[in-house]
Amino acid sequence: MSSVLQPAASGHDRQAPSTAGKYRPISSHLAITPPVSVVIPAMNEADNLPYVFKTLPDWIHEVVLVDGNSTDDTVAVARALWPGVKVVGQQGRGKGDALITGFEACSGDIIVMVDADGSADGNEIVSYVSALVSGADFAKGSRFANGGGTDDMTFVRRLGNGVLCAIVNRKFGARYTDLCYGYNAFWRHCLDKIELDCTGFEVETLMNIRVVKAGLKVQEIPSHEYLRIHGVSNLRAVRDGLRVLRVILSERSNRRALRREGRRSRMLASGRGEVS
């Protein structure tokens, strides 16, 4: 993969026409070539957006805010904080639908998913991008990997996440330490291999399962989840946990059906070979 993190050009090199505009500086010693898009699904998050945008690095290519028909000043605040923000109106409902809408609007080679409640630290984006340009297809945030953490998880949610994560690891051959976390990044081309077709909070689980089924290279990134700053989350542990479980069972059934079809195709091919 040619898009890699590179040492930032020196003052002399920066004047050279051959490198002008090629690299996006991250620091005085580091630069990146691929453009990075950050997708933020938001509904009535005007009070939280200042905290979200404050931590976003200035070297990202674009911010795509998906507005879920907010009745507060979410859009106006976003435009004031990041004048070049791309605002996309959500036609459907649910986090999954919002993310799918945002992904379609992105123009960057790398896409980063960030929640709008202030729980994610934008300074961690460089770790996700580093993993991708070093060879990973999908950089998956984990609150339970060594170095990660969470300030915003009840005992019930932690238990449910652990059980569901164990099921996915066993049934799909994954090695995840966290399943239901919305801070992830991936190369745009991954969307061609993990078609998304769900609308709710279970979208992260669906992505995590389908990247494994597609044989994509996944690297977990330790991440710290902070408390939501203002407002109340729409997440409901039992309701959304059951939706996640249904996704797991559905994907498992689809996997078995594909295996049966594969065996059938091989048998037919073998039979044709014997006849000829």
Side-chain angles (χ1 to χ4, degrees):
M1 190 173 293
S2 59
S3 297
V4 297
L5 286 172
Q6 299 282 358
S10 65
H12 174 71
D13 293 336
R14 208 173 283 120
Q15 303 301 318
S18 61
T19 61
K22 183 177 181 181
Y23 299 118
R24 302 181 68 83
I26 293 178
S27 71
S28 60
H29 303 291
L30 203 62
I32 186 174
T33 54
V36 176
S37 298
V38 174
V39 176
I40 305 175
M43 184 174 70
N44 296 330
E45 298 285 8
D47 291 338
N48 289 321
L49 288 184
Y51 301 91
V52 177
F53 280 86
K54 180 174 64 176
T55 66
L56 293 181
D58 57 9
W59 48 262
I60 61 177
H61 168 64
E62 69 179 353
V63 176
V64 177
L65 181 94
V66 183
D67 177 47
N69 301 304
S70 298
T71 56
D72 65 359
D73 294 329
T74 289
V75 173
V77 169
R79 285 177 170 152
L81 293 168
W82 200 280
V85 65
K86 182 186 293 185
V87 177
V88 182
Q90 181 180 357
Q91 300 303 311
R93 298 186 63 180
K95 185 177 183 180
D97 180 82
L99 285 173
I100 293 169
T101 300
F103 296 161
E104 292 174 349
C106 289
S107 61
D109 294 332
I110 289 174
I111 299 175
V112 184
M113 305 157 45
V114 176
D115 287 340
D117 58 5
S119 63
D121 182 359
N123 292 305
E124 294 179 359
I125 289 177
V126 65
S127 298
Y128 288 82
V129 172
S130 295
L132 294 175
V133 298
S134 295
D137 296 305
F138 191 89
K140 180 188 174 307
S142 173
R143 296 161 291 187
F144 305 115
N146 188 25
T150 177
D151 301 330
D152 188 27
M153 184 170 281
T154 64
F155 172 78
V156 172
R157 285 180 56 201
R158 185 184 293 266
L159 177 63
N161 185 62
V163 171
L164 294 170
C165 187
I167 294 173
V168 168
N169 286 345
R170 181 173 179 81
K171 299 298 184 181
F172 298 95
R175 300 177 64 182
Y176 295 144
T177 60
D178 196 354
L179 184 67
C180 309
Y181 189 40
Y183 200 171
N184 303 294
F186 52 90
W187 290 98
R188 185 183 182 87
H189 67 75
C190 293
L191 292 173
D192 297 329
K193 302 173 183 175
I194 57 167
E195 181 181 358
L196 301 177
D197 50 12
C198 67
T199 60
F201 282 103
E202 69 275 16
V203 64
E204 292 109 354
T205 296
L206 183 65
M207 294 179 75
N208 292 335
I209 292 174
R210 290 188 176 175
V211 295
V212 172
K213 291 171 66 175
L216 299 175
K217 184 177 179 181
V218 181
Q219 181 173 332
E220 285 199 330
I221 306 298
S223 177
H224 192 98
E225 178 188 39
Y226 296 91
L227 289 169
R228 163 182 275 275
I229 300 172
H230 297 287
V232 179
S233 172
N234 291 320
L235 178 67
R236 297 293 178 268
V238 176
R239 179 199 66 187
D240 293 307
L242 290 174
R243 293 184 66 161
V244 168
L245 181 59
R246 282 196 292 270
V247 163
I248 295 172
L249 296 177
S250 175
E251 291 298 300
R252 179 63 177 169
S253 298
N254 291 341
R255 190 182 189 190
R256 286 199 295 264
L258 288 173
R259 283 179 175 175
R260 287 195 298 268
E261 183 61 28
R263 287 196 296 268
R264 181 173 178 274
S265 298
R266 287 192 295 272
M267 290 175 62
L268 290 174
S270 176
R272 286 196 298 270
E274 291 175 358
V275 171
S276 60

